[in-house]
Every structure is written in structure tokens, then in C-alpha cells.
Amino acid sequence: MQHRTLGDSGVEVSEVGFGAWVVGTDWWGDRSEDDAIEMVQYAVDQGITYFDTGDVYGHGRSEELLGQALAEVRDEVTVATKVGYDFYDNPQAGHGELPKEMEPDYLRDAVEESLERLELDSVDVLQLHNADVDEITPDVLELLDELEEEGTIDATGLALGPSIGWLAEGDLAIEEEFDSVQLVWNVLEQEVGNHFLETIERTGSSTSLIPRVPHSSGILNEQVTPDTELGEGDHRGFRPDEWYETGWEKLEALRFLERDGERTMGQASIAWLLAHDPVATVTPTFRTKADIDEWAAASDVPTLTDEELTRVAELSENDFDIDRDDGMDSLRSSVDGADIESAGLDKLAAD
């Protein structure tokens, strides 16, 4: 396993990280809490040192379980969490989004609660969870500075979502030199990632990018095929059928990234992201130990060649020569699409 550093923070992360949204929740399939803890510890054994959770996952349960699982190796790992959703006063309704709360007093209290659940005195990376651009106020930025100065946190981040990403928010975080911006980014969903690469180059920012959903909800690792029936509670079911249908065609066009015995498609999908210098770590959604075995090894497979990277870029620019709607022609925007329009993307702002 190779390692990189988040921004200018000095915080080291493994190139493949563990997204602990699968711990303490059932959105990605049911598993016992003992199984979840065992998976986290197994990931450590496979060289993964970056673990990314959030206080809202399982209404704090993910943090509690992660704290238990990592108690014996705390000095060997990097822990990130997220705050900004007020689940304390609002019940969860299915997969619906809870009300956000980004006032500094609330955030400070939320951080203290997270530390208690994680059984930590400080957290390596604190991320604002889906904050809108007008919620990242000078007071919030001042709070993040104070938490760093106090030693409560070592690095700051912004986690974007829950759709593909919010351009205005990510641009602001990059311009403000946040240590990290987390986003949905993969070889089939390149627009937002490419935009932030341009923002980083334009501003000279040291901000690192943390891609999640590197396998595009199961297409690129072939865990979702034309024969797959997603369970009622499976979070991947939010994608329209057209997305998967076009995705399977695009997958076939990407087969050249596989190398028999050296690089699987699942590994190539992660290696493609790691080929971009601002990317610090990639956080796939591990569902089994077999996933961990395969994807943790992506840090050490043959890197993509310039020819392969160029070929991927050309396919994306031409939309893989598929001339029909994939059902996902929208990007989430908190500023009525002004960020999308100014970026020159031919997309509609999601309602």
C-alpha cells in the first residue's frame, strides 16, 4: 500500500481508504455489528490506514463501531469524520436527507460528540458534510481554524454530495485551501472531478481530492450486471435503469484497462483516479473481505500509461459514442445552476 498526504496538513493517508458509511447502517446491505468491526480490522491488515466516517451514519453508530474497531491501532491509522446534519433533533425517514445545521456553536458541539463516540481526543480530518456555499461562512472558517489551533483536528475537509457534486462549494473549499474535498468521481462520471482539477491548477491550491464511488455504483467492478436484482434497501437503487444500461456499454469500451493477472477492472478504476496528482486517497464501498483484498491491492497494480489515460479521456469527451439519454443528465447545485453554467457544463441543475 502506498501513501499520500492531504493538502499541506501533513496528515498521511493510504491510497485506498475505507468508507465507513457501510458500518452502522444498512443502506449497502445488512451485516452484523461484529461483522462490520471484523471488516474494519481486516482492512487494517491489508494495509488500509485511512478510515472515513460521519456522525450521521447510523446516527452516531458508525463512529462508535469504528472507534471500537480501531482502538488497538489508533496510532497507525488516520480517522476522518463529518459533521453538519442535525440528527439529534430529527428522525431519519428512509434515505431522505436530514436538516443541516452549520452554525459554529452546533458544529463545535457535534465535534465533541463525535470525539466521544470515536473514543478520541482529536480527529485527524474533520469534514463539513454537504455544506451549501452560503453555509461556509467566515464564522465557520474561523471555527475550523480554532479547532486546528486547539489540536482538536489536524486537517479540514468538505464532503460533497449527495449527488455528483456541488461545483460552487468545491471551488470555495479549494480557494480557501481546505486540505481535502470529497466527491463522487469515476471514469464514467468525470465532469466534477475534471472541473476541480482545473480549479486546483488555476488557483495553485494544495487541496487534495478524495473520490468516492470509484466503481460507479457497481458497474465498473461488475457487481451490478444486467442480471442483478437490487434489494429494496440497497442504496444503489437510486440510479435509473437507463444509467445502468448505458453504463454496461461503456464498460465494454473500457476493457483495455484490464491486464490479465495484473490489473482487474475494479483495480483499474481506482488506479485511474490515483493517476491524478491531486488525488490523495480513493474510498470504495467495501461490502465483503474479497472486495478489500482486490481493491486494497489497487495501490500496487501497474499504473495507467499515458496512452491509456488519453484513450479514456477521448472516450469520455465523445460520451463513449452512445447517443441516448442515460437518465442522469443533471448535477446537484445549491446556487440554481449558476455554478454549472459558469463551468460550461451542458447539464441541468437538479431540483
Side-chain angles (χ1 to χ4, degrees), residues 18-40 65 223 234 236 285-289 291-292:
F18 189 110
W21 38 82
V22 299
V23 175
T25 71
D26 61 1
W27 287 14
W28 288 266
D30 288 329
R31 61 181 54 79
S32 72
E33 293 188 346
D34 287 343
D35 287 342
I37 291 174
E38 185 177 350
M39 278 189 65
V40 170
L65 293 174
Q223 288 188 349
D234 195 311
R236 295 170 297 179
T285 299
F286 296 115
R287 301 166 70 87
T288 65
K289 289 182 178 178
D291 290 343
I292 297 173

Side-chain angles (χ1 to χ4, degrees), residues 111-125:
V111 172
E112 293 300 326
E113 295 287 346
S114 287
L115 291 175
E116 184 173 341
R117 286 189 291 265
L118 288 164
E119 300 182 28
L120 298 176
D121 295 323
S122 64
V123 67
D124 300 300
V125 188

Side-chain angles (χ1 to χ4, degrees), residues 275-347:
H276 299 86
D277 289 340
V279 171
T281 181
V282 180
T283 54
T285 299
F286 296 115
R287 301 166 70 87
T288 65
K289 289 182 178 178
D291 290 343
I292 297 173
D293 286 335
E294 179 182 351
W295 303 337
S299 177
D300 298 310
V301 301
T303 57
L304 270 65
T305 65
D306 290 343
E307 180 182 357
E308 288 171 327
L309 292 171
T310 298
R311 192 170 170 186
V312 169
E314 290 173 347
L315 284 169
S316 180
E317 288 170 5
N318 296 313
D319 200 22
F320 292 78
D321 292 324
I322 298 175
D323 186 22
R324 71 175 189 280
D325 185 16
D326 64 6
M328 292 285 284
D329 192 22
S330 64
L331 299 179
R332 181 62 65 88
S333 172
S334 64
V335 288
D336 297 324
D339 51 350
I340 296 169
E341 183 177 357
S342 65
L345 296 180
D346 184 21
K347 299 285 183 178

Side-chain angles (χ1 to χ4, degrees), residues 18 81 94 109 131 148 159 176-177 182 197 204 228 257 302 320 324 340 345:
F18 189 110
T81 195
D109 289 343
E148 281 196 86
E176 291 290 341
E177 297 270 8
Q182 184 180 141
L197 290 176
T228 303
L257 293 177
F320 292 78
R324 71 175 189 280
I340 296 169
L345 296 180

Side-chain angles (χ1 to χ4, degrees), residues 81-329:
T81 195
K82 311 177 190 73
V83 294
Y85 280 110
D86 183 8
F87 63 90
Y88 298 99
D89 301 311
N90 299 280
Q92 184 76 50
H95 291 182
E97 187 174 13
L98 290 170
K100 284 184 292 180
E101 178 55 79
M102 295 289 171
E103 288 299 316
D105 288 346
Y106 172 85
L107 294 175
R108 179 177 280 279
D109 289 343
V111 172
E112 293 300 326
E113 295 287 346
S114 287
L115 291 175
E116 184 173 341
R117 286 189 291 265
L118 288 164
E119 300 182 28
L120 298 176
D121 295 323
S122 64
V123 67
D124 300 300
V125 188
L126 178 69
Q127 302 165 92
L128 300 180
H129 204 170
N130 297 341
D132 289 348
V133 68
D134 59 1
E135 293 172 330
I136 308 174
T137 64
D139 287 345
V140 169
L141 295 175
E142 183 178 353
L143 171 67
L144 295 177
D145 287 340
E146 290 174 358
L147 292 172
E148 281 196 86
E149 291 170 2
E150 295 166 5
T152 303
I153 65 175
D154 293 324
T156 58
L158 175 64
L160 297 173
S163 188
I164 293 176
W166 287 323
L167 300 187
E169 285 72 13
D171 283 347
L172 175 59
I174 291 168
E175 291 162 3
E176 291 290 341
E177 297 270 8
F178 277 49
D179 295 302
S180 67
V181 169
Q182 184 180 141
L183 69 154
V184 172
W185 186 16
N186 56 65
V187 72
L188 301 186
E189 299 166 274
Q190 296 189 29
E191 293 95 339
V192 173
N194 290 342
H195 174 79
F196 290 149
L197 290 176
E198 293 173 359
T199 303
I200 289 171
E201 182 175 3
R202 171 176 55 80
T203 61
S205 174
S206 62
T207 301
S208 294
L209 300 177
I210 302 178
R212 62 184 178 88
V213 199
H215 297 121
S216 198
S217 297
I219 290 179
L220 293 169
N221 59 349
E222 299 185 79
Q223 288 188 349
V224 177
T225 72
D227 297 325
T228 303
E229 292 186 13
L230 296 174
E232 183 177 345
D234 195 311
H235 186 64
R236 295 170 297 179
F238 81 94
R239 302 267 188 175
D241 291 343
E242 295 87 349
W243 166 258
Y244 287 108
E245 291 164 2
T246 58
W248 293 320
E249 292 185 44
K250 294 174 182 179
L251 172 65
E252 294 307 315
L254 293 166
R255 290 290 184 191
F256 67 91
L257 293 177
E258 293 178 306
R259 291 191 186 181
D260 188 27
E262 291 188 313
R263 191 170 68 197
T264 66
M265 182 61 73
Q267 292 169 336
S269 302
I270 295 172
W272 177 79
L273 289 163
L274 291 171
H276 299 86
D277 289 340
V279 171
T281 181
V282 180
T283 54
T285 299
F286 296 115
R287 301 166 70 87
T288 65
K289 289 182 178 178
D291 290 343
I292 297 173
D293 286 335
E294 179 182 351
W295 303 337
S299 177
D300 298 310
V301 301
T303 57
L304 270 65
T305 65
D306 290 343
E307 180 182 357
E308 288 171 327
L309 292 171
T310 298
R311 192 170 170 186
V312 169
E314 290 173 347
L315 284 169
S316 180
E317 288 170 5
N318 296 313
D319 200 22
F320 292 78
D321 292 324
I322 298 175
D323 186 22
R324 71 175 189 280
D325 185 16
D326 64 6
M328 292 285 284
D329 192 22

